[in-house]
Amino acid sequence: MLVLLPPSEGKAASGRGAPLKPESLSLPGLARAREAVLDELVGLCEADEEKARAVLGLSEGLRGEIAKNVVLRTAGTRPAGEIYTGVLYDALDLASLDTAARRRAGKSLLVFSGLWGAVRVGDRIPPYRCSMGVKLPGLGALGAYWRAPMAEVMPEASGDGLVLDLRSSAYTAAWKPKGEVAGRTANVRVLHSQMVDGVEKRSVVSHFNKATKGRMVRDLLRAGAQPKGPAELVDVLRELGYAVEAETPERAGRPWALDVIVTEIH
């Protein structure tokens, strides 16, 4: 099972280990593309703080994030699973998993990133600010920039089992499963169900959507589940207590669409 995750805007304040070693990151086929993004991002933030703030879409209160990008090559690092600190990662709570579940997380979780393309949760990276929605002056829109490099490495990285895609739309732009891989991919959204005047209403609630996805991945890791495809995933999630509705694709080579239905927001 391969689980595709978005990163988080919120990140650990600082690293605490040795500086970045680009050659140590997973998916080495992305090395050249990573180097190009890293070079341009560092150069932009060193040369013109105001331009960097505009390009990165940062408010005045987030101006300090630019300084983090300037020192990306020398700053301390942490495992990516510790760097990302948003709602999904808080709910996933990797640090509290037992040894076996953490080992499974290291093998199965892949975090997409505007800067790195994609990294595993054990890869050591520094804190940074560069979303997939950024358009760098030299390389252009990162979602489009990453498509060719990701198309080269992701078919092999996807293995032969389930691909559970929990990414947000900005990050799906960098790679969309095709063909045989798409056929064993499940796209999941979380819907909040509530009764309004006797009629069920369903809606997407961003914060709870992320938290539920984090808890769902955590439960799968703790259970040691290894579903081979979307149909098996539906069975596993239901066994774990989730209310799941599945839409099977009309044609082969298309992803499954899964809705996880929740009635309580927390």
Side-chain angles (χ1 to χ4, degrees):
M1 178 174 67
L2 181 69
V3 183
L4 310 181
L5 297 175
S8 63
E9 291 295 333
K11 298 178 180 68
S14 63
R16 60 187 180 193
L20 175 70
K21 296 180 180 178
E23 70 278 5
S24 72
L25 298 180
S26 301
L27 305 182
L30 298 178
R32 182 176 297 179
R34 286 170 176 151
E35 193 67 23
V37 179
L38 185 60
D39 279 347
E40 182 166 356
L41 181 62
V42 171
L44 170 69
C45 293
E46 283 179 331
D48 189 331
E49 187 174 288
E50 284 303 318
K51 182 178 180 180
R53 190 164 71 87
V55 168
L56 298 175
L58 300 177
S59 66
E60 178 64 33
L62 292 174
R63 182 182 292 273
E65 297 294 291
I66 297 170
K68 293 180 181 179
N69 287 346
V70 171
V71 297
L72 280 171
R73 293 188 183 278
T74 57
T77 59
R78 296 181 186 223
E82 296 179 14
I83 288 290
Y84 299 116
T85 59
V87 173
L88 187 154
Y89 293 90
D90 288 345
L92 176 54
D93 195 9
L94 288 168
S96 69
L97 291 173
D98 63 35
T99 301
R102 287 200 301 272
R103 186 180 304 115
R104 287 189 284 269
K107 293 179 179 179
S108 63
L109 305 187
L110 193 65
V111 185
F112 274 61
S113 162
L115 174 54
W116 312 113
V119 292
R120 297 196 183 275
V121 291
D123 288 341
R124 299 191 67 92
I125 58 174
Y128 68 96
R129 192 72 174 223
C130 184
S131 72
M132 192 66 80
V134 164
K135 184 177 182 179
L136 291 175
L139 297 178
L142 290 177
Y145 170 79
W146 281 111
R147 284 175 198 155
M150 296 302 292
E152 290 290 325
V153 303
M154 284 305 299
E156 180 179 354
S158 299
D160 58 3
L162 170 74
V163 177
L164 175 54
D165 194 346
L166 303 180
R167 296 173 296 165
S168 54
S169 58
Y171 291 87
T172 61
W175 180 70
K176 294 182 179 180
K178 296 181 179 179
E180 182 271 334
V181 177
R184 49 185 168 85
T185 296
N187 297 326
V188 176
R189 64 177 179 173
V190 178
L191 297 178
H192 177 223
S193 172
Q194 56 184 331
M195 300 301 294
V196 179
D197 297 328
V199 178
E200 184 192 26
K201 301 290 186 180
R202 292 181 175 181
S203 60
V204 176
V205 182
S206 179
H207 181 282
F208 188 63
N209 170 60
K210 296 174 183 177
T212 300
K213 287 179 177 178
R215 285 191 289 269
M216 183 175 66
V217 174
R218 178 181 176 85
D219 288 342
L220 289 169
L221 293 171
R222 292 180 66 193
Q226 290 293 333
K228 289 296 184 181
E232 292 90 338
L233 173 65
V234 171
D235 292 338
V236 170
L237 288 176
R238 288 173 176 166
E239 289 172 3
L240 291 172
Y242 291 89
V244 182
E245 296 179 359
E247 181 180 333
T248 59
E250 294 181 357
R251 299 201 304 269
R254 296 289 182 88
W256 285 47
L258 271 58
D259 287 340
V260 175
I261 313 301
V262 297
T263 57
E264 297 180 0
I265 295 181
H266 59 88

